[in-house]
Amino acid sequence: MFLYQLLNFFFAASKKEEDSKYDLSLYKRGDLLEVPRTLFTHFGIYLGNNRVAHLIPDILPAITKDKSAIAKMVTNNRLLMGVITKVASVRVDSVVDFAYGSDILINHMDKVCSQPPLDGDEVARRAEKLLGSVTYSLLWYNCEHYVMYCRYGMAISYQTYQFCTTVRKIVFSRMSAYLTALCGVSFMLYLSCVTPLTVLLTALISFTIWMAS
């Protein structure tokens, strides 16, 4: 019994310390909040009264109907499995659960986006209207697309653009063209299948990558 009370005391103390990390007076209804989460930055819209609407991948709703379990903070494991299975939802969490221990940037995208932000109440209304299950796409509909639509009226993702640009530089590079040609020739020689068709395909693919580089 004493051990149970001691554990509860430490849990309550750590929870209080975590809550005090975030000054709610800094956030206004309609603010765009962002935090580092796993490999990407995570985004949400502050609704007021310690509530943040955010689109987050989560595998749990696909495997259980336990609403109390689903309502708990989304862990990184739940998030990553949700990304893989494309299961997500726009949900409302507390600032602490949204931030997941990270520091919060407020309206940082205002400096990046050329479009001026909408009125705070309108931003929040849009965020609330989209609550519920969604089909997730890392490239075409993620948390950044959601908040950008709510705050600026256009569903875009700078993270996705940067990611695709990086991949393009890697895939469509002169080195990739050389390696593709080398692998194609090696493959044909290894399988003894040097035919006009295989030679043409190898040359065509290598040439396409070369021209795109």
Side-chain angles (χ1 to χ4, degrees), residues 55 83 86 88 134-143 145 160:
L55 189 161
V83 170
K86 295 183 178 293
V134 297
T135 300
Y136 182 81
S137 171
L138 186 63
L139 296 181
W140 309 119
Y141 193 57
N142 59 42
C143 61
H145 290 99
T160 297

Side-chain angles (χ1 to χ4, degrees), residues 2-204:
F2 174 73
L3 180 60
Y4 177 75
Q5 291 176 335
L6 188 63
L7 288 173
N8 274 343
F9 172 78
F10 280 119
F11 176 78
S14 63
K15 183 69 175 174
K16 186 176 181 180
E17 182 181 349
E18 192 175 37
D19 287 343
S20 65
K21 179 180 178 180
Y22 305 104
D23 183 358
L24 298 183
S25 65
L26 296 175
Y27 315 127
K28 301 188 297 294
R29 181 170 166 84
D31 278 350
L32 192 160
L33 310 183
E34 57 181 282
V35 294
R37 186 81 189 259
T38 58
L39 300 176
F40 293 91
T41 300
H42 187 53
F43 297 85
I45 298 294
Y46 188 67
L47 303 178
N49 299 320
N50 193 24
R51 298 176 303 130
V52 182
H54 58 131
L55 189 161
I56 188 165
D58 184 11
I59 187 63
L60 211 55
I63 59 179
T64 182
K65 299 297 182 183
D66 187 346
K67 292 184 179 180
S68 62
I70 295 172
K72 292 180 180 178
M73 179 170 53
V74 179
T75 62
N76 283 334
N77 288 337
R78 285 169 58 180
L79 187 152
L80 291 172
M81 289 303 296
V83 170
I84 294 171
T85 56
K86 295 183 178 293
V87 177
S89 64
V90 177
R91 55 183 280 166
V92 176
D93 283 308
S94 67
V95 170
V96 169
D97 285 352
F98 164 77
Y100 204 65
S102 301
D103 293 331
I104 298 176
L105 286 177
I106 307 172
N107 298 328
H108 173 70
M109 297 303 292
D110 287 359
K111 304 173 184 177
V112 179
C113 184
S114 58
Q115 191 78 3
L118 300 172
D119 175 72
D121 281 331
E122 174 60 22
V123 174
R125 278 195 295 269
R126 288 186 174 210
E128 292 166 334
K129 188 176 181 179
L130 295 174
L131 292 175
S133 299
V134 297
T135 300
Y136 182 81
S137 171
L138 186 63
L139 296 181
W140 309 119
Y141 193 57
N142 59 42
C143 61
E144 190 175 4
H145 290 99
Y146 165 70
V147 298
M148 292 296 287
Y149 166 74
C150 293
R151 188 164 175 84
Y152 306 104
M154 50 185 186
I156 61 174
S157 172
Y158 290 102
Q159 287 185 112
T160 297
Y161 175 78
Q162 291 170 354
F163 173 77
C164 292
T165 300
T166 301
V167 170
R168 180 185 175 278
K169 287 180 180 178
I170 295 172
V171 175
F172 297 108
S173 65
R174 294 186 177 185
M175 182 58 69
S176 293
Y178 295 142
L179 291 175
T180 301
L182 181 60
C183 289
V185 171
S186 300
F187 184 75
M188 287 186 293
L189 293 175
Y190 178 76
L191 295 179
S192 301
C193 59
V194 181
T195 66
L197 179 59
T198 56
V199 171
L200 179 62
L201 284 175
T202 300
L204 183 60

